[in-house]
Amino acid sequence: MRSAGASDVPAIAIRDLHVRLAGEDVLQGISLDIPRGDFLGLIGPNGAGKSVLLRTILGQIEPSHGDVRIFGQRLEDARGVVSYVPQFADFDRSFPIRVCEVVLMGLLKHRGIFHRWTRGDREVAYNALAKVDLAHLGERQIGKLSGGELQRVLIARALAVGSEILLLDEPSASLDTRVAGRLYELLRELSSSHTLVLVSHDIGVMSKHVRNLACLNRRLIHHGPPELTSEALHLTYGHSVEEISHHHEGIET
Amino acid sequence: MNTLAEALSYPFFQRALIAGVLASIACGIVGSFVVVKRITSMSGGLAHAAFGGVGLGLAFGFSPWFGAVGFTLACALVLGAVYHKRPDALEPTISTLWAGGMALGILLVSLAAGPKPDLIGYLFGSILFVPRDYLWLVSVLDLCLLLGLGLLFKELQASVFDEAFAASLGVPTRWLFQLILAASALVIVVLIRVVGIVLVIALLTVPAIVARQWAESLPRMMVGAAAIGTVCTTGGLLASYAFSVASKADVPSGPLVILLAIGIYGLSSLAGALRNRRRNA
């Protein structure tokens, strides 16, 4: 098995990562290996540094110490291997653009600057849309989609990039429970072919679907299968488990 | 109807109409980017800063138009840098360039020797006195914009829709943003000569805002904005001619073009609201 060395290399390897922003130590000594094919849920209170960690993995924030490797490569050499899926709510829905044009953006890395989209490019985009069951909406303007549909379009765009690793920031935020459930179903299907890292506040729903959980509060409190000890939750959130589960029922119902 | 035929028979009036169409094309293209990227206040700042360049040209003995092009492009560079490096300082920078450019222009124009351009001319332009050469200049500007659009459309579209994503795939988004600002600066300066500072901002933004209410894609928005701009400039010119003949006073076309554009915006918003209500019912 040693000879199959490549598969032993973690998809994302984080070593003693420190990030300082505006004089604050936002991330302190994070070390985390995320194996290929993992479906990792990242939880933590507001200000825990979840988004900062995602942005550091994407190379948008320079760590003050430590490093991040993607399949053993430095971030500069791994452009396009990791894709970020933003929250649909951050988008201007009145922007005059069609669904398939959004997905075509995923191909920008592979096409030269003066290239015009071809029929083949559109096929790639429509294949990505088919994976999220939205091929029938390809010619709609994005404002005519529901929130859940637009979120899936953004996932399709990341699939069109061809990235093996997808980072998703609160994809189920502002979606109702039923739509969020379908989104998690889709993510679970995708996790058979992709490595997924998912930030969410929705601990209950998420821990039903993810393979592993990481609890972050500037430091890494817990990393492992999604059975959380009350100690880990207390360390992460700073209050009792009852309060969290109560809070969390409030979100669910 | 006679008045209309009479107006169209004058070469100066024909040139004014052509200038209106050419200006609307440039504004439809650049204005659509300005509106979807929400940088209308930046274009307003550039249009007013341009007057500072006019003053610099007059004061230091070079062409006021070269002064305006150079100064406005320099301001566009500053705004582009501030937009990315110090977003919190953007609003104050826009206000400073806006007011400072005007103040500098007025001061230097008053100090300059020789014949002085009148301020009202810069504010509202002189579309009825556009020389033939100038129509060629605006045509070349339109062609350059169309060519740039043809070559860079997908990158420009991606960087105005989702800059972070486009940048993550290696699209030079900052450079493209500078390009959009530089194109706005050029369009503004060239069109100030034709339609004036106030009208150039109106033509850049109002037709694009109306087109955005109906367009499903950026190219359609541009075509729509150019068409609406053409309707407004043509309608404004004809109305100014008709009013001038009827009232025997000199009724300027610029304000009429703007009021027509705002009227169309109002009607379009009303129609959009009715459409949404019907869809939701």
Side-chain angles (χ1 to χ4, degrees), chain B residues 50-51 62 140 208 233 243:
Chain B
F51 197 62
F62 51 89
V140 170
T233 51
F243 285 157

Side-chain angles (χ1 to χ4, degrees), chain B residues 192-249:
Chain B
I192 281 176
R193 177 78 170 82
V194 185
V195 293
I197 289 172
V198 178
L199 190 50
V200 82
I201 302 170
L203 263 190
L204 207 54
T205 55
V206 182
I209 290 168
V210 175
R212 180 203 174 111
Q213 292 175 325
W214 304 96
E216 307 218 309
S217 68
L218 206 43
R220 286 195 180 188
M221 177 177 173
M222 290 172 183
V223 172
I228 293 162
T230 300
V231 168
C232 294
T233 51
T234 308
L237 278 165
L238 292 174
S240 99
Y241 189 85
F243 285 157
S244 297
V245 169
S247 67
K248 299 194 167 55

Side-chain angles (χ1 to χ4, degrees), chain B residues 97-120:
Chain B
L97 292 179
W98 190 305
M102 273 317 255
L104 186 70
I106 293 168
L107 185 70
L108 291 176
V109 167
S110 72
L111 292 175
K116 288 162 190 172
D118 78 307
L119 194 55
I120 294 297

Side-chain angles (χ1 to χ4, degrees), chain A residues 92 94 96 112 115 144 157, chain B residues 154 157 162 212 216 218:
Chain A
D92 174 6
S94 70
H115 171 90
K144 297 188 178 122
R157 181 179 72 169
Chain B
K154 66 188 194 312
Q157 180 194 43
D162 187 350
R212 180 203 174 111
E216 307 218 309
L218 206 43

Side-chain angles (χ1 to χ4, degrees), chain A residues 77-108:
Chain A
D77 305 321
R79 177 166 275 175
V81 179
V82 188
S83 267
Y84 176 70
V85 180
Q87 289 179 40
F88 77 89
D90 292 343
F91 283 83
D92 174 6
R93 305 268 287 277
S94 70
F95 197 103
I97 191 167
R98 294 196 175 92
V99 166
C100 69
E101 293 179 291
V102 174
V103 180
L104 276 168
M105 280 177 199
L107 302 179
L108 279 168

